[in-house]
Amino acid sequence: IIYSCTNELPVKNEVIIRELADPEMLNPINFTDATTGYIITHIYSKLVDADFGNPSELVPILAESRPQIEKTSDGNMLLTFRIRKEARWDDGSPVTAKDAEFTLKTMKCPLVNNPNSRSYYEFITDFKFYDDDPLKFTVVANQIYFLAEASFTDVCIIPEYFYDHKGLMKNFTIKQIAEDGEKLKGDTKMKEFADDFNSEKRMRDPA
């Protein structure tokens, strides 16, 4: 997809979408303007998204289906997803539960420049993998929240291999960040990751 501010006709295999304003940045987590948000949804995909024919309904995109939702005896809420096996990144590698976890870690990282959106994910306190299925995962919410599915799936899933090629965020879990986020601000690995993610390169570089 090519975004353009001109009235040129599209060439073969291209779609030109005219925007009235330039995007503030291309960072998929830190943006705050509507134009960037619109463009990001055409670069990355969500687990589920609104049905264009019926915007009040959610339909699976990266996920095989809407999540299986369970309520636990201790007041938690579990949302279990499985990513489509056909889902691939630009380099041909599969989209996995690790990418979903990484996206959530980035959203919740206390040093990433997204204070407005980060607060919407405070209810997520843990993340569960399944050894026998790298595409399946469960998100743990610390409350019975009727907007849990809509809130969690509103973020586009981003590739861990591209945004964290050093594997710096592998040193932390969702539970650690949820419980000790303020203490982790002084961690050198988390700071190195956040400095890179917040950098001009991540805001402007189309590569």
Side-chain angles (χ1 to χ4, degrees), residues 7-191:
N7 291 319
E8 297 176 4
L9 293 176
V11 297
K12 186 177 180 181
N13 297 325
E14 293 180 354
V15 175
I16 295 179
I17 300 175
R18 183 176 182 273
E19 290 292 337
L20 297 178
D22 289 333
E24 176 185 88
M25 62 174 71
L26 291 178
N27 187 303
I29 301 294
N30 293 1
F31 73 91
T32 58
D33 66 302
T35 301
T36 299
Y38 183 72
I39 292 174
I40 291 299
T41 60
H42 288 284
I43 298 176
Y44 300 110
S45 296
K46 300 177 182 181
L47 292 167
V48 303
D49 205 352
D51 183 350
F52 287 113
N54 185 5
S56 64
E57 292 293 323
L58 295 175
V59 294
I61 304 297
L62 281 179
E64 289 184 342
S65 63
R66 291 179 63 178
Q68 175 186 341
I69 299 177
E70 302 172 70
K71 300 175 184 178
T72 65
S73 58
D74 57 358
N76 286 341
M77 189 175 183
L78 309 179
L79 294 86
T80 300
F81 296 85
R82 190 173 190 278
I83 296 173
R84 295 179 187 274
K85 63 180 182 299
E86 300 88 356
R88 292 287 188 276
W89 296 117
D90 288 352
D91 68 348
S93 62
V95 181
T96 71
K98 289 289 187 180
D99 294 300
E101 183 208 30
F102 170 71
T103 302
L104 189 53
K105 284 181 184 178
T106 304
M107 291 294 303
K108 293 177 71 67
C109 177
L111 295 176
V112 166
N113 290 338
N114 66 330
N116 294 330
S117 57
R118 184 165 60 245
S119 62
Y120 289 102
Y121 299 89
E122 290 180 354
F123 71 95
I124 298 175
T125 55
D126 208 350
F127 193 101
K128 179 182 178 182
F129 293 100
Y130 294 83
D131 292 337
D132 61 339
D133 190 346
L135 303 181
K136 183 179 179 181
F137 64 91
T138 295
V139 173
V140 179
N142 64 359
Q143 57 183 287
I144 308 301
Y145 182 33
F146 79 104
L147 289 177
E149 178 187 1
S151 294
F152 173 61
T153 57
D154 191 50
V155 62
C156 290
I157 302 302
I158 61 176
E160 182 180 37
Y161 82 87
F162 181 78
Y163 285 102
D164 189 18
H165 65 277
K166 290 185 178 181
L168 297 168
M169 292 299 282
K170 292 181 185 295
N171 295 281
F172 314 100
T173 65
I174 296 294
K175 188 174 183 179
Q176 283 178 310
I177 296 173
E179 294 179 352
D180 300 313
E182 287 302 309
K183 295 179 181 178
L184 291 174
K185 284 184 175 180
D187 188 282
T188 56
K189 290 185 175 62
M190 181 170 284
K191 188 175 186 305

Side-chain angles (χ1 to χ4, degrees), residues 26 162 201-202 204-207:
L26 291 178
F162 181 78
K201 175 183 68 175
R202 298 301 187 189
R204 308 292 179 189
D205 188 351

